Amino acid sequence: MQRRVVYPNRVLPYLLLAPQIIITVVFFIYPAAEAIRQALYQQDPFGLNAQFVWFENFALVLQDPHYWEAARVTLIFSLAVTLLAMAPALLLAVMADRVVRGAAGYRTLIVWPYAIAPAVAAVLWLFIFHPDIGYVGQGLLALGIPWDYRMNGAQALLLVILVSAWKQISYNFLFFLAALQSIPRSITEAAAIDGASGMRGFWLITFPLLSHITFFLLVVNLIYSLFDTFGVIHALTQGGPGVATTTLMYSIYRDGVVNVDLGGSSAQSVILMAGVILLTMLQFRYLEKRVHY
Amino acid sequence: MRQRVLSLLLVALLMSLLMSASAQRVRVEFWHGLGGPLGQLLETITDDFNRSQDRFQVNATFRGSYPETMVAAIAAFRAGNAPHIVQMFEVGTATMMHAGGAIVPVYQLFARTGVPFDPSVFLPAVRSYYSLPDGRLMSLPFNSSTAITWYNRDAFRAAGLNPDQPPRTWTELRNAARRIVASGAARCGFSTAWPTWTQFEQFSAIHNVPLATRANGMEGLDARLQINSPLHLRHLQTLMDMQREGSFTYGGRDGAADALFVNGTCAILHGSSALLGRVRSEATFNWGVANLPFYDDVRGAPINSIIGGASFWVMTAPGRTDQEYRAVAEFFRFISRPEVARRWHSETGFLPIRQDVFNELNAAGFYRANPGRDLPLLQLTRTEPTVNSRGLRLGNMPEIRNIIQEEVENALQGRQTAQQALDNAVRRGDAVLAAFERAHR
């Protein structure tokens, strides 16, 4: 059986591929190549004189204790956001899957937070947790808990983790729900007849059948926590207090945009890019083997 | 159908005529970093200029906070379309002075365009901040402020303090803040906006100690920070002790603490004199202003404070014409006129940057009718500036400000001692200065 599509015209396939290739080159290959090039130069803010310095920017970044502190913050932040964004989403999806009456309305409400811009989400949470103007913040203070995320690094990190995870729950919920609905009833019913129902049935039958989507979401959520949480951090803590909420991404922004050190900032981007590529490869190499499609 | 086409054509013709009429004016882009009422007043003044003549058109655009405006202008320059004029905060001065071909120094602008201009009308303290050591003016001074003490008179009265005797020294300030918190007159006794500016830069100036070597960078790019001196250490320790006992509340970076004073949370605030507009429109209590406090056992203290605020820089771009520079020069001449300076000073908390404006308002009784409005200028000019109180000229100063804020925050959180915080700030800040020196050698 011939499964390959054969085009009579030699140009047509390239033409059909062109939009995809152009988008990849313009929005990924070109900026990435530019970042690598900039990382090898030291220059003044205005770009009037640039010096080729080989890998000095990388050396400076890797010698900076604050960079490693940012790496440590990023590790805690990413793992916590991924866990807190996926576990409640799975729980909500399982619950929503069982709802009979008003299911559509219920699902719509859960999806709403995804439509909120990160900066707006951060401001909403600020009105809840700000020690001076937030209800929960004032409540915690009234209970004698010294709540002030502006001065307490651990509390600041907790807050940006909560907001970042909250924003991503909707997305995960949608995927989990769709995956749950694609599991044939006959399988869960057969399991129930064999005595595997409730929690036992979920962990033995349902969860393994969700593994492909769980794996996909794991990759997506890790990448989300690394790259897309900038808005939340910027609006809530600006990376502070001290450097308690400065993730690798925020550090790139601060050095590149605020401090206009393009060489150092590009070196950090290249390191982060390499790290994410490596991480994703590892996930596919080791985790994917345990996934059932 | 035909009629409709005809009328459309007519409209198009009219439009193009109108466009070409306004295109005959030389257009100049002006980016500024003043939001709210200050920005509105600045744009009103720009409109006044546009109405005052028919050859030039200045388009003023708000580009976010000062640091954001600076970054936007640099990015635009790199892309080849820098604005003609950019408003740059005072700590960006060194970066701009060393921007080489990216800027046109103001003295050159006036020489080149032949527009008459006399920089000696500006106050020496303001002029020297934006001039080369030989006195040539690099940027146009416009909105200059200084740091002062704002206090809540109602809270002072409620705490049993005399609102007519605001604290003069740090000992008095600490006692007052303690008493305010203890009596419940306010939840927060003392806070500070712009922590680096008020507690390090202004603090060093009024105590006549260096913030950095080489006359705070005025004399060379090889300046290095000196903020781990015994006096700086003592001051940071005082702030940490005050925080522990509850009389000092850290209000966040940059201008974040302004809101704490304006909404009545904090009874005493160190902040910019330019906060006036906001205090007047938002504060629901009686307030007063005072000089920044000092340690009275430091010999010679207090001396003059230094300026903050911003100045206007002229930027270059490929294909910029002489006519455009001419427009910039005319605009600068207009905006420096005594009427404009008087209006700007009397409607905002910024300083009167011209001596004649101050004298004239003084003679007209403005300061008697508005007590405290002359305090910022008097504090700024109360002594002859020394090498430590002439101002700062440190490369990448915005970055150094953030480093100091980070290290101080870590100390206030109890993660490091005051000595460690200052040593770290010096080490990291010096690396920034060394990088700047290297990039401009």
Side-chain angles (χ1 to χ4, degrees):
Chain A
M1 195 168 71
Q2 173 66 279
R3 291 187 62 183
R4 278 176 60 194
V5 180
V6 177
Y7 288 95
N9 187 327
R10 300 187 114 234
V11 186
L12 184 65
Y14 295 101
L15 222 59
L16 292 175
L17 274 177
Q20 177 79 34
I21 289 174
I22 290 172
I23 286 174
T24 311
V25 168
V26 171
F27 292 105
F28 183 70
I29 309 282
Y30 171 70
E34 187 67 11
I36 293 171
R37 195 182 67 80
Q38 298 261 21
L40 302 176
Y41 283 89
Q42 269 181 6
Q43 50 182 307
D44 70 297
F46 293 87
L48 297 168
N49 46 44
Q51 255 184 311
F52 186 75
V53 293
W54 284 108
F55 299 103
E56 198 185 319
N57 288 325
F58 290 93
L60 285 174
V61 165
L62 295 176
Q63 281 164 16
D64 183 358
H66 280 78
Y67 184 75
W68 292 104
E69 177 64 21
R72 196 184 67 87
V73 169
T74 308
L75 190 72
I76 299 171
F77 178 79
S78 297
L79 292 178
V81 168
T82 306
L83 185 72
L84 289 178
M86 287 177 67
L90 181 58
L91 183 70
L92 286 171
V94 171
M95 297 300 172
D97 196 31
R98 293 182 186 162
V99 171
V100 180
R101 204 185 296 174
Y106 185 62
R107 282 168 209 162
T108 311
L109 285 177
I110 294 182
V111 174
W112 268 6
Y114 192 61
I116 298 174
V120 177
V123 173
L124 291 177
W125 281 68
L126 194 138
F127 280 120
I128 302 175
F129 280 104
H130 194 282
D132 292 324
I133 52 175
Y135 293 112
V136 176
Q138 287 175 336
L140 287 171
L141 286 174
L143 289 174
I145 300 164
W147 170 262
D148 187 356
Y149 65 85
R150 294 167 306 179
M151 272 321 298
N152 184 318
Q155 292 177 357
L157 190 58
L158 180 71
L159 186 62
V160 290
I161 287 172
L162 283 179
V163 181
S164 305
W166 172 77
K167 254 202 68 53
Q168 193 67 1
I169 286 176
S170 312
Y171 180 87
N172 297 340
F173 167 79
L174 276 182
F175 277 86
F176 276 131
L177 187 65
L180 280 170
Q181 287 175 343
S182 72
I183 296 175
R185 289 283 162 210
S186 53
I187 295 181
T188 39
E189 279 161 12
I193 289 167
D194 287 346
S197 59
M199 284 298 276
R200 206 172 143 80
F202 175 77
W203 288 115
L204 282 176
I205 308 295
T206 316
F207 191 66
L209 287 173
L210 292 176
S211 62
H212 62 293
I213 213 76
T214 310
F215 173 68
F216 164 77
L217 288 176
L218 186 69
V219 175
V220 168
N221 278 274
L222 269 178
I223 291 176
Y224 160 81
S225 68
L226 286 170
F227 294 104
D228 288 348
T229 48
F230 171 82
V232 169
I233 296 174
H234 192 55
L236 273 177
T237 62
Q238 285 100 49
V243 287
T245 53
T246 301
T247 60
L248 291 173
M249 187 66 198
Y250 201 81
S251 167
I252 290 171
Y253 161 78
R254 194 194 51 204
D255 285 344
V257 178
V258 181
N259 300 334
V260 212
D261 170 16
L262 288 186
S265 176
S266 301
Q268 292 178 39
S269 327
V270 172
I271 295 172
L272 183 61
M273 184 164 69
V276 171
I277 290 173
L278 190 74
L279 189 69
T280 312
M281 274 166 58
L282 281 177
Q283 285 174 329
F284 274 94
R285 179 98 173 68
Y286 292 104
L287 274 180
E288 202 192 11
K289 285 189 177 160
R290 307 178 60 171
V291 167
H292 314 273
Y293 284 98
Chain B
M1 184 63 202
R2 185 184 248 174
Q3 264 185 349
R4 225 168 114 193
V5 171
L6 213 66
S7 61
L8 267 176
L9 271 174
L10 253 172
V11 169
L13 191 74
L14 267 173
M15 291 272 283
S16 66
L17 270 175
L18 275 172
M19 301 271 276
S20 66
S22 61
Q24 278 165 9
R25 282 183 170 225
V26 178
R27 284 172 175 278
V28 164
E29 293 301 322
F30 169 31
W31 290 3
H32 69 84
L34 292 174
L38 291 173
Q40 279 165 20
L41 182 58
L42 182 59
E43 288 176 17
T44 308
I45 293 172
T46 311
D47 290 342
D48 289 347
F49 170 72
N50 291 335
R51 265 195 300 274
S52 72
Q53 41 73 44
D54 57 6
R55 292 167 59 201
F56 313 114
Q57 168 84 25
V58 175
N59 298 326
T61 333
F62 173 56
R63 303 297 297 207
S65 67
Y66 285 145
E68 285 164 0
T69 306
M70 174 172 180
V71 168
I74 290 173
F77 174 79
R78 296 180 76 114
N81 50 20
H84 298 76
I85 308 166
V86 64
Q87 183 187 37
M88 188 70 68
F89 59 162
E90 86 288 10
V91 286
T93 302
T95 303
M96 294 303 280
M97 276 192 177
H98 293 98
I103 58 145
V104 180
V106 162
Y107 75 88
Q108 259 179 32
L109 173 83
F110 288 112
R112 215 163 105 182
T113 54
V115 172
F117 191 78
D118 177 16
S120 68
V121 295
F122 296 121
L123 292 172
V126 173
R127 195 178 63 217
S128 67
Y129 202 104
Y130 300 114
S131 297
L132 292 177
D134 62 13
R136 285 178 297 174
L137 194 64
M138 293 296 282
S139 64
L140 187 81
F142 180 69
N143 55 320
S144 293
S145 57
T146 193
I148 55 170
T149 305
W150 292 90
Y151 67 100
N152 183 328
R153 295 176 66 95
D154 294 349
F156 267 58
R157 212 168 283 125
L161 296 158
N162 183 352
D164 293 323
Q165 276 179 1
R168 284 169 47 255
T169 66
W170 274 101
T171 316
E172 289 175 19
L173 183 140
R174 186 170 175 177
N175 287 335
R178 270 192 201 142
R179 199 148 152 195
I180 286 161
V181 174
S183 66
R187 190 143 56 80
C188 146
F190 163 66
S191 188
T192 181
W194 302 98
T196 311
W197 185 50
T198 56
Q199 306 307 318
F200 286 88
E201 299 166 32
Q202 299 285 0
F203 176 85
S204 304
I206 64 174
H207 289 89
N208 199 9
V209 294
L211 185 86
T213 57
R214 305 286 277 153
N216 292 336
M218 290 273 188
E219 288 168 1
L221 284 172
D222 52 342
R224 296 294 181 267
L225 294 180
Q226 290 196 304
I227 53 169
N228 50 358
S229 78
L231 185 64
H232 290 106
L233 177 66
R234 171 183 175 190
H235 185 50
L236 180 56
Q237 193 60 55
T238 302
L239 292 178
M240 288 164 70
D241 294 345
M242 285 180 70
Q243 187 199 34
R244 203 162 301 128
E245 74 189 16
S247 57
F248 166 59
T249 303
Y250 182 76
R253 296 181 189 183
D254 298 348
D258 288 345
L260 296 181
F261 177 72
V262 174
N263 69 16
T265 308
C266 293
I268 309 172
L269 178 86
H270 288 165
S272 169
S273 61
L275 189 61
L276 179 78
R278 199 166 157 198
V279 172
R280 260 202 309 216
S281 65
E282 293 176 31
T284 53
F285 49 83
N286 292 305
W287 47 269
V289 292
N291 288 326
L292 288 178
F294 58 98
Y295 290 101
D296 50 0
D297 53 351
V298 173
R299 271 184 57 179
I303 63 167
N304 67 295
S305 62
I306 54 178
I307 64 167
S311 68
F312 297 163
W313 288 85
V314 186
M315 294 191 77
T316 63
R320 202 147 274 182
T321 64
D322 284 348
Q323 273 306 302
E324 289 171 22
Y325 288 119
R326 175 77 203 249
V328 172
E330 292 289 355
F331 176 61
F332 278 7
R333 190 161 70 131
F334 177 87
I335 207 162
S336 304
R337 288 183 359 195
E339 315 82 278
V340 179
R342 188 192 314 124
R343 180 172 182 196
W344 182 254
H345 164 57
S346 55
E347 291 184 24
T348 71
F350 285 106
L351 301 165
I353 55 169
R354 293 176 63 120
Q355 187 69 49
D356 53 355
V357 167
F358 177 78
N359 295 344
E360 183 199 327
L361 284 171
N362 199 18
F366 176 78
Y367 297 110
R368 244 172 298 131
N370 300 279
R373 290 298 300 279
D374 52 353
L375 181 128
L377 185 73
L378 296 178
Q379 180 187 266
L380 183 81
T381 55
R382 63 187 165 192
T383 55
E384 275 301 308
T386 68
V387 282
N388 300 320
S389 67
R390 256 193 295 164
L392 312 173
R393 195 155 300 157
L394 299 173
N396 290 338
M397 187 66 194
E399 183 171 357
I400 295 173
R401 270 194 176 170
N402 281 336
I403 288 174
I404 295 175
Q405 286 177 153
E406 281 174 12
E407 296 298 341
V408 167
E409 284 170 359
N410 279 338
L412 291 172
Q413 286 181 68
R415 288 177 159 202
Q416 59 184 356
T417 65
Q419 185 72 59
Q420 284 167 335
L422 296 178
D423 288 344
N424 283 339
V426 168
R427 183 178 45 76
R428 293 175 61 199
D430 281 354
V432 171
L433 290 171
F436 188 81
E437 185 188 0
R438 186 171 151 189
H440 292 90
R441 206 163 25 214

